[in-house]
Amino acid sequence: MSLYDTKDQVVLVDSADTDLGTMEKMEAHQKGLMHRAVSILIFNTKGEWLLHQRAQEKYHAGGLWTNACCTHPYLGESYESAAERRMMEEMGMKIDRERLVHLFDFTYKVELDNGLTEHEYDRVFAYLTDAEPMPNAEEVMAWKHLRHEALVAEITSQPERYTPWFRIIFEKTLPHLDKVRASSSEKH
């Protein structure tokens, strides 16, 4: 089976990221089964976060703000390759997987707005670029750069405007912001 034969599949895993097989994406979300995911945080050289607002038509969390990009790796696809692929598909941005900074992995389970459950083993990467996105309108309805302080204020005052996974990622990223800054000075 090739990578492209599995694009509507997710890779089921346990809490140690052990591959347990694949399942059709919607079925996995209906059953709330843990599967692999990738989240990419994009920062510019001013230290601003790149956020996007999910297209209203997305199968869940439509219209909510979130990190630059998320995806499910295909069977046999590395986390880094999935990040590189999806940044182009979703945000129209070419990234160099060698410059991805792995921040952390975590698991979470949240019930979504339409009877689906997101239960993911999520690998979170940061990436520094001043490139502007050219998003796919089927995926993204708006985007913006936001200073850290402004993002803290927005998430605190209006958490319902953000995806549940991004609110978790945001909190977990705070102790890693120095790692992001250090990697940007090493690579530029």
Side-chain angles (χ1 to χ4, degrees):
M1 191 179 303
S2 75
L3 293 178
Y4 300 103
D5 294 334
T6 64
K7 69 182 197 176
D8 291 326
Q9 304 277 311
V10 293
V11 179
L12 302 177
V13 294
D14 62 18
S15 60
D17 195 27
T18 306
D19 185 338
L20 303 176
T22 62
M23 181 177 282
E24 192 276 325
K25 180 168 65 173
M26 287 303 290
E27 182 181 1
H29 286 91
Q30 290 163 345
K31 293 180 175 179
L33 298 178
M34 188 183 302
H35 53 277
R36 280 189 185 131
V38 175
S39 295
I40 304 104
L41 308 176
I42 300 287
F43 298 92
N44 63 21
T45 55
K46 296 178 195 172
E48 296 170 323
W49 296 68
L50 174 63
L51 304 175
H52 85 266
Q53 187 176 25
R54 291 169 60 86
Q56 208 63 46
E57 300 76 27
K58 294 288 282 186
Y59 68 101
H60 67 69
L64 297 182
W65 287 92
T66 197
N67 51 290
C69 184
C70 293
T71 194
H72 302 109
Y74 299 151
L75 182 64
E77 182 180 36
S78 72
Y79 284 105
E80 293 81 4
S81 293
E84 184 178 47
R85 169 184 54 81
R86 194 62 181 159
M87 280 300 299
M88 183 54 76
E89 292 171 353
E90 192 167 306
M91 296 299 284
M93 296 177 77
K94 181 167 178 43
I95 64 169
D96 174 3
R97 73 180 85 178
E98 299 299 317
R99 290 184 35 227
L100 283 169
V101 177
H102 176 216
L103 296 181
F104 55 89
D105 295 355
F106 76 108
T107 62
Y108 73 98
K109 185 174 186 178
V110 293
E111 291 184 21
L112 301 171
D113 52 2
N114 58 356
L116 300 178
T117 299
E118 209 44 290
H119 190 186
E120 295 186 329
Y121 181 98
D122 196 359
R123 179 153 296 171
V124 180
F125 293 103
Y127 192 82
L128 180 80
T129 182
D130 285 326
E132 297 262 319
M134 295 182 292
N136 176 344
E138 292 178 12
E139 302 285 345
V140 176
M141 56 191 276
W143 66 272
K144 63 184 175 183
H145 283 107
L146 205 57
R147 286 185 354 268
H148 180 76
E149 300 76 18
L151 181 55
V152 170
E154 279 193 18
I155 288 177
T156 301
S157 66
Q158 299 177 316
E160 71 283 353
R161 294 185 64 212
Y162 289 86
T163 61
W165 62 88
F166 179 64
R167 294 191 311 256
I168 297 167
I169 289 169
F170 179 74
E171 288 296 320
K172 289 187 172 294
T173 299
L174 297 179
H176 298 278
L177 288 177
D178 286 342
K179 192 182 205 182
V180 173
R181 290 182 189 107
S183 74
S184 69
S185 62
E186 290 169 11
K187 297 179 180 182
H188 292 285

